[in-house]
Amino acid sequence: MTKKLFARCLLMLAVFLTPAAGFAAGETLPPDELVRNVTNEVLTIVRGDKSLQAGNTGKVLALVEEKVLPHFNFRRMTSLAVGPGWRTANPEQQERLTTAFRTLLVRTYSNALTQYRDQTIDVKPLRGNLDAKGTRVGTEVRQPGAQPIAIDYMLEQGGQGWKVFDVTVAGVSLVTNYRSSFAEEINTKGIEGLIASLEAKNKSLETEQGGKK
């Protein structure tokens, strides 16, 4: 799976997880309704932001931090990506894994958000009733001259509203995409080895991006 495909996920999350105008703070919208309400508005902002399009790393990271990350359940996401090894990690290791995985996703995929210009998004109707433990929102990203790309979001509802715990692009799950490589790291180097590997990758990405935060 390419960085560009998962970057589409982050952009779409920034689009549909931004609070919609006309709704009170703290009011929870159904996921599909939230998508429909804010997609056009946020895409317009992204397309009109010249510094974002020019690849301003600091601004891209700030956009992701403000609009996307508060709506992820990174702890659950990390536990799913780590798989059975998660249960062998102590609480301090689980916290470090979550922080490192969160940073890796942001550093790896955020800069590709600058590539968006002419995309449109088709939000699919929800199938069945909302399930607080896991509801899928299906979307299709379309752009001229390219095949549509299906992006599905798995969300759960808690005390702070709906949060994403997995993203599927063209049938491939983000957490599943990482699970095999994480399992290999754990099998050869243990939990501490996986943490060290993630932290090293994050330092490398930070250096490549000029150390901007």
Side-chain angles (χ1 to χ4, degrees):
M1 181 145 325
T2 67
K3 295 179 182 179
K4 185 179 294 186
L5 287 180
F6 275 119
R8 293 170 191 261
C9 299
L10 291 179
L11 177 64
M12 295 309 107
L13 288 167
V15 168
F16 79 74
L17 293 172
T18 304
F23 289 88
E27 184 174 350
T28 300
L29 295 177
D32 59 333
E33 185 177 342
L34 193 56
V35 175
R36 294 184 181 94
N37 282 346
V38 302
T39 294
N40 291 335
E41 178 184 1
V42 177
L43 280 179
T44 299
I45 293 172
V46 172
R47 291 169 184 149
D49 191 325
K50 299 301 183 182
S51 62
L52 183 62
Q53 294 174 16
N56 184 317
T57 300
K59 192 162 188 177
V60 173
L61 292 175
L63 171 66
V64 174
E65 287 280 351
E66 179 184 359
K67 301 296 186 183
V68 180
L69 301 190
H71 305 285
F72 273 89
N73 183 341
F74 276 104
R75 182 175 177 84
R76 184 175 180 190
M77 201 171 196
T78 305
S79 71
L80 291 172
V82 173
W86 179 259
R87 295 191 296 272
T88 70
N90 62 42
E92 186 265 344
Q93 289 173 324
Q94 290 179 351
E95 183 66 25
R96 291 166 61 201
L97 280 169
T98 301
T99 299
F101 188 45
R102 175 187 186 277
T103 302
L104 177 66
L105 292 176
V106 173
R107 286 284 178 185
T108 301
Y109 303 120
S110 59
N111 270 0
L113 299 182
T114 62
Q115 301 173 17
Y116 288 84
R117 300 294 186 277
D118 302 319
Q119 292 78 4
T120 59
I121 309 162
D122 179 21
V123 181
K124 306 298 182 182
L126 287 177
R127 297 180 179 178
N129 298 323
L130 290 177
D131 183 345
K133 295 182 178 179
T135 292
R136 182 181 298 272
V137 173
T139 71
E140 193 171 69
V141 180
R142 301 174 181 272
Q143 66 181 38
Q147 290 293 320
I149 298 174
I151 300 179
D152 294 343
Y153 305 94
M154 287 301 300
L155 299 95
E156 62 179 1
Q157 189 176 31
Q160 297 180 328
W162 290 96
K163 289 185 179 289
V164 175
F165 64 88
D166 195 12
V167 183
T168 300
V169 180
V172 179
S173 156
L174 185 151
V175 297
T176 301
N177 192 56
Y178 279 98
R179 188 176 296 154
S180 59
S181 62
F182 284 3
E184 184 177 350
E185 289 274 0
I186 294 171
N187 289 337
T188 58
K189 302 176 184 177
I191 291 292
E192 285 294 329
L194 173 59
I195 295 171
S197 176
L198 289 172
E199 291 176 345
K201 289 177 182 177
N202 289 335
K203 288 182 180 179
S204 177
L205 287 168
E206 183 177 356
T207 299
E208 290 176 8
Q209 294 168 1
K212 296 181 181 180
K213 298 183 181 180

